[in-house]
């Protein structure tokens, strides 16, 4: 092993240690509930009804968050059921006492020293990752396509490492979305970072998630830039998505909140941002003065003008692979898995039904929500807008599809599972791209040798070669314009372009055979 | 309904089958002993290097053949009875009404001592790839003999598995029978940049036996001995027609065909690598063992089979390759050394990784051809310029139109224009760079 490889190896070890500590932290605090804590954190009217059952565990120390949380949630659930049985709907408790109480009851080194744990996980993890990644700039040799060994590798080819990472990610997402109180230790660790923005605040599960997300985009963005160092297109694109993720999705919203303004991600567009028209959101914006109104108008302008106009000129890539947060993660952390997308015709059929189905669902759901907002009635055509539209959408699409499957399945189905099969905004952008846009991928005369690199590395599962080998422009609603097909093509066949709309679809024409006009 | 049989499921045979199927309901059978389905031979290297799996190299999904009623038969044709129109396979007999022979090439071997030892092989077929996989397990050193396109691919393949390689090239510079000196020299540099032991002007003398029938090294004509456990022999290919020699079919180096791709036997056609065109067009060669020629012959022969008799008229020559990271494209005629009526203009970038050559007629000033390293150009534009005899100054002026590099890549036309003006005392208008371009360059 030479020096560089030693550095890489040490970096990997360091990263694994930090990951180990991160996972270990799950087990690291003790939780002891007391009457005092309950008195301090539970609303007086709730104290009365909950404390008899809660008091069963007063003074008892739990080693694990799960039974502790289950006890509290069980207490509340039982109480709510009783109320429901007596038709006392408004008596039910919706406060997230599990998260509040477990934080207050936690003891141990994490709560005493969250900064230390932040250092041991994120800082060490970053150092380790960079030690692993940076030497590649030299080790990988002259700039060019660096796909050697991808299909021999247990990480990139659904081997055991890929499956393990997939399983970890899926578990993480399930905890994050559905059982945030279980992962209180991780959230507590983020307090010092949160307090940079708002000194008195505590981190939430979403702050933790946002931070990990940015961390992944940043570190893997460095890897991506090194890997594609020969391509200015890929480099600029990576810088762009990283910037938008860090600034618009993370830092600016935090600053807004510190200034007592509504949380707002200026680049998130309905229907990806599916709760944009929820009454809670509308009420917040409308009650926040000029800035709230501005945000509301900005959001609507993006939908009705931003998307069509930008997509007309640049194709949907302006958003999906240059701005979007999901795109940011897919193009950086997801890049090692792009070759796992399914290229079959069957997958394409499923994709079209699914993604457009989600778009329709999003529109109906939003329609229902707005109907309720304006009329005050929860009943639309005899259906309850909350329980039949809003809630299932949030659960199945907002959480399961976009998170658990969308990211958890990176190592199994490729890095754009969500963008391809589920994202309603991608479907909308795609319709514009397909029918009214200057964007296309042009093929170069007759130069294609049907090698298949372009199709293999297409993260959206487009069979690029199908078009290239018959000399046909590639115009597909799903194409996010990541540019990798053009990068990996060994014969210089593909070019992403914005040119006149006329003749965009063109004929399948191959240059070079003058015997007759060859139309494939 | 005619019974059309094609021997060979490579690009030539498959293209013919597809184009026939588009316009006819005849029975179409494609026979090959190599693989069940058509795959891209040009992508063999990427399987070994782990960029793709075999599955990825199949241009059509497996259902495609049933859906399009193209019957696939796996087997080797051992002999053909042209009188009775019957093919004798190792498995079966198959008769035909019309036959298309598209059997491709085989790797050359020049009778070196030791060329049949274990661990010595060429690279052409899928089976070659499999044996390369097993022959290169746990080896310390490999030698590749022959500085052509497949040779450098094999070097890259071995390098991707961290196997040290010595690359023996007979010529004084890499592929200098095709590449002009500057281009060839750039590739020499690039090969060495990768740490390959490139030995130019070096010929193989013999391959050494370890006493157990396996290779243990090679000896060069100058007497050097290089220890190795693998030898790649990539000294060109020739038509794969041994089973057709000494039959009624007229062959020379390849199966002889006329301009309609017809052989001397009625209803028997030949296309692709295995053919030798009796009277090729002036700008083409009788045997062109490239993907594109196979495809174009397939397209053309299909027309004749469909009853629309069509002569094979390949247009302006084009080809492409990739030498490690440096892509190569050529359009029209670029000779390694300019002919007496030719002038050759060459530009290379500062880092020696990009180059463009344009060849034109010194009297008429019409462009004859171009080649490019590390820069992509538009095929259609150059095809048009060369076939219509566009004047060099016009080409240099409009060069940007022909660039095909991805967006944000540096556009080299301005530097080329400036250099052209300096060297040819001409005043081609130089394109104005945009502000963004100035910032980034
Ligand atoms: C490693 C490599 C890289 C290459 N890269 C390029 C490139 O980048 N660009 C380029 O232009 N060209 C390239 N070529 C050349 C190109 O692949 C060939 O020119 C092309 O594949 C020839 O196509 P074909 O259809 O004529 O023959 P083939 O592809 O050889 O197909 C013939 C088929 O017929 C089968 N067959 C032969 N005899 C029989 C028989 N008796 N019975 C049954 N089946 C039989 C063979 O097994 C084979 O499957 C490359 C070749 C190789 C080996
Ligand atoms: S377009 Fe390029 S990458 Fe795609 S199959 Fe053709 S040669 Fe290969």
């Amino acid at each position: 092993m030479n020096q560089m490889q030693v550095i890489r190896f040490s970096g990997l070890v360091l990263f694994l240690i930090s990951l180990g500590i991160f996972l270990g932290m799950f087990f690291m605090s003790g939780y002891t509930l007391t009457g005092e804590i309950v008195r301090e954190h539970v609303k007086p009217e709730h104290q009365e009804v909950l404390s008899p059952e809660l008091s069963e565990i007063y003074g008892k120390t739990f080693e694990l968050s799960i039974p502790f949380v289950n006890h509290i949630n069980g207490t509340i659930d039982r109480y709510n059921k009783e109320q429901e049985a007596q038709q006392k709907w408004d008596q039910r408790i919706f406060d997230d006492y599990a998260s509040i109480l477990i934080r207050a009851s936690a003891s141990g080194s994490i709560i005493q020293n969250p900064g230390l744990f932040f250092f041991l996980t994120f800082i060490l993890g970053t150092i380790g990752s960079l030690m692993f990644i940076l030497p590649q700039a030299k080790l990988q040799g002259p700039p060019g396509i660096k796909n050697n060994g991808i299909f021999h590798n247990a990480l990139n080819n659904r081997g055991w490492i890929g499956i393990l990472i997939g399983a970890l990610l899926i578990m993480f997402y399930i905890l994050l979305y559905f059982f945030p109180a279980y992962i209180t230790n991780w959230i507590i660790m983020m307090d010092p970072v949160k307090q940079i923005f708002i000194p008195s605040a505590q981190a939430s599960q979403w702050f933790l998630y946002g931070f990990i997300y940015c961390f992944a985009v940043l570190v893997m963005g460095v890897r991506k830039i090194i890997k594609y160092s020969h391509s200015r297109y890929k480099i600029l694109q990576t810088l762009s998505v990283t910037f938008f993720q860090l600034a618009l999705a993370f830092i600016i919203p935090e600053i807004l909140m510190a200034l007592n303004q509504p949380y707002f991600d200026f680049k998130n567009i309905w229907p990806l941002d599916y709760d944009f028209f929820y009454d809670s959101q509308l009420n917040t914006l409308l009650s926040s003065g000029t800035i709230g109104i501005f945000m509301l108008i900005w959001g609507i302008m993006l939908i009705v003008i931003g998307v069509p106009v930008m997509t007309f000129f640049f194709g949907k890539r302006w958003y999906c692979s240059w701005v979007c947060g999901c795109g940011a993660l897919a193009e950086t952390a997801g890049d090692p898995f792009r070759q796992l997308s399914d290229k079959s015709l069957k997958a394409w059929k499923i994709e079209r039904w699914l993604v457009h189905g989600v778009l329709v669902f999003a529109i109906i759901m939003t329609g229902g929500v707005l109907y309720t907002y304006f009329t005050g009635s929860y009943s639309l055509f005899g259906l309850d807008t909350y329980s039949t539209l809003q809630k299932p959408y949030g659960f199945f699409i907002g959480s399961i599809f976009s998170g658990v499957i969308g990211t958890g399945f990176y190592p199994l189905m490729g890095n754009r599972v969500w963008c391809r099969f589920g994202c309603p905004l991608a479907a909308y952008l795609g319709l514009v791209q397909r029918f009214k846009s200057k964007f296309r991928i042009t093929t170069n005369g007759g130069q294609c040798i049907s090698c298949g690199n372009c199709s293999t590395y297409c993260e959206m599962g487009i069979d690029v070669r199908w078009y290239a080998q018959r000399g046909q422009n590639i115009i597909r609603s799903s194409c996010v314009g990541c540019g990798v097909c053009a990068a990996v093509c060994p014969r210089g066949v593909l070019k992403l372009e914005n040119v006149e709309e006329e003749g965009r679809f063109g004929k399948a024409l191959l240059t070079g055979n003058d015997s007759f006009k060859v139309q494939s | 309904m005619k019974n059309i049989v094609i021997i060979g499921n490579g690009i030539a045979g498959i293209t013919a089958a597809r184009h026939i199927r588009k316009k006819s309901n005849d029975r179409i059978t494609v026979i090959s002993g190599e693989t069940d389905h058509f795959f891209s031979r040009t992508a063999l290297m990427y399987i070994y290097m782990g960029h793709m799996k075999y599955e990825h190299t199949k241009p059509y999904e497996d259902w495609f053949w049933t859906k399009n009623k193209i019957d696939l038969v796996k087997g080797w044709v051992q002999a053909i009875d042209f009188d009775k129109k019957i093919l004798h396979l190792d498995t079966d007999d198959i008769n035909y009404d019309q036959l298309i022979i598209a059997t491709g090439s085989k790797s050359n071997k020049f009778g070196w001592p030791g060329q049949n030892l274990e661990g010595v092989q060429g690279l052409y077929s899928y089976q070659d790839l499999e044996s390369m996989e097993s022959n290169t397990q746990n080896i310390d050193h490999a030698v590749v003999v022959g500085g052509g396109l497949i040779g450098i691919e094999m070097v890259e393949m071995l390098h991707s598995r961290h196997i040290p390689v010595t690359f023996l090239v007979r010529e004084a510079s890499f592929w200098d029978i095709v590449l002009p000196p500057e281009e060839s020299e750039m590739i020499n540099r690039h090969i060495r940049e990768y740490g390959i032991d490139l030995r130019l002007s070096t010929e193989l003398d013999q391959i050494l036996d370890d006493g157990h029938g396996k290779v243990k090294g090679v000896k060069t004509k100058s007497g050097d001995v290089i220890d190795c456990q693998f030898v790649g022999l990539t000294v060109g290919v020739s038509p794969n027609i041994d089973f057709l020699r000494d039959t009624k079919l007229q062959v020379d180096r390849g199966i002889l065909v006329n301009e309609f791709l017809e052989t001397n036997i009625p209803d028997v056609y030949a296309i692709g690598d295995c053919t030798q065109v009796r009277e090729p067009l002036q700008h083409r060669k009788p045997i062109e063992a490239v993907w594109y020629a196979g495809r174009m012959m397939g397209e053309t022969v299909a027309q004749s089979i469909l009853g629309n008799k069509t002569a094979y008229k390949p247009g302006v020559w084009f080809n492409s390759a990739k030498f490690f990271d440096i892509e190569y494209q050529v359009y029209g005629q670029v000779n390694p050394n300019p002919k007496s009526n030719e002038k050759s203009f060459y530009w290379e970038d500062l880092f020696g990784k990009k180059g463009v050559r344009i060849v034109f007629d010194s009297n008429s000033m019409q462009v004859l051809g171009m080649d490019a390293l590390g820069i992509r150009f538009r095929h259609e534009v150059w095809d048009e310029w060369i076939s219509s005899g566009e004047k060099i100054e016009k080409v240099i002026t409009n060069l940007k139109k022909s660039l095909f590099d991805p967006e944000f890549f540096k556009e080299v036309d301005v530097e080329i224009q400036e250099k052209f003006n300096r060297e040819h005392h001409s005043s081609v208008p130089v394109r104005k760079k945009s502000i963004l371009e100035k910032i980034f360059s």
Side-chain angles (χ1 to χ4, degrees), chain A residues 443-444 447-456 463-469 474 484-494, chain B residues 40 42-43 46 52 56 59 291-292 320 376:
Chain A
T443 55
N444 200 5
Q447 287 281 23
C448 176
I449 52 169
S450 299
C451 69
N453 275 297
C454 52
S455 297
T456 305
D463 190 358
V464 184
R465 165 175 56 193
W466 172 269
Y467 303 84
Q469 66 192 359
I474 296 131
V484 98
C485 55
V488 297
C489 174
R491 295 294 178 271
V493 177
L494 303 159
Chain B
S40 180
T42 54
Y46 299 111
M52 286 190 274
H56 298 110
W291 183 264
Y292 313 110
S320 60
R376 299 171 174 180

Side-chain angles (χ1 to χ4, degrees), chain A residues 127-232:
Chain A
I127 296 173
S129 316
L130 291 180
M131 281 167 67
F132 185 71
I133 290 166
L134 291 175
Q136 270 303 85
K138 199 146 170 73
L139 285 176
Q140 70 180 6
I145 292 301
K146 305 295 170 199
N147 287 337
N148 287 349
I150 288 215
F151 282 97
H152 303 151
N153 187 309
L155 170 66
N156 311 110
N157 187 28
R158 297 191 193 103
W160 68 271
I161 304 180
I163 293 173
L164 186 71
I165 292 182
L168 280 178
L169 282 171
I170 290 168
M171 251 159 14
F172 174 76
Y173 272 93
I174 291 176
L175 290 172
L176 177 81
Y177 280 119
F178 306 115
F179 306 100
Y182 290 170
I183 56 172
T184 302
N185 287 347
W186 293 336
I187 301 174
I188 293 173
M189 158 178 73
M190 301 308 300
D191 284 350
V193 185
K194 176 79 186 180
Q195 282 152 10
I196 296 175
F197 298 97
I198 309 174
S200 60
Q202 287 183 333
S204 68
Q205 95 224 55
W206 302 121
F207 186 83
L208 168 75
Y209 181 47
F211 191 87
I212 295 183
Y213 205 102
C214 291
F215 166 80
V217 168
L218 206 59
V219 171
M220 291 299 279
V222 173
R223 170 196 166 277
K224 170 115 183 212
I225 288 175
I226 291 175
K227 174 162 180 184
Y228 294 91
S229 60
H230 65 297
S231 167
R232 272 197 197 163

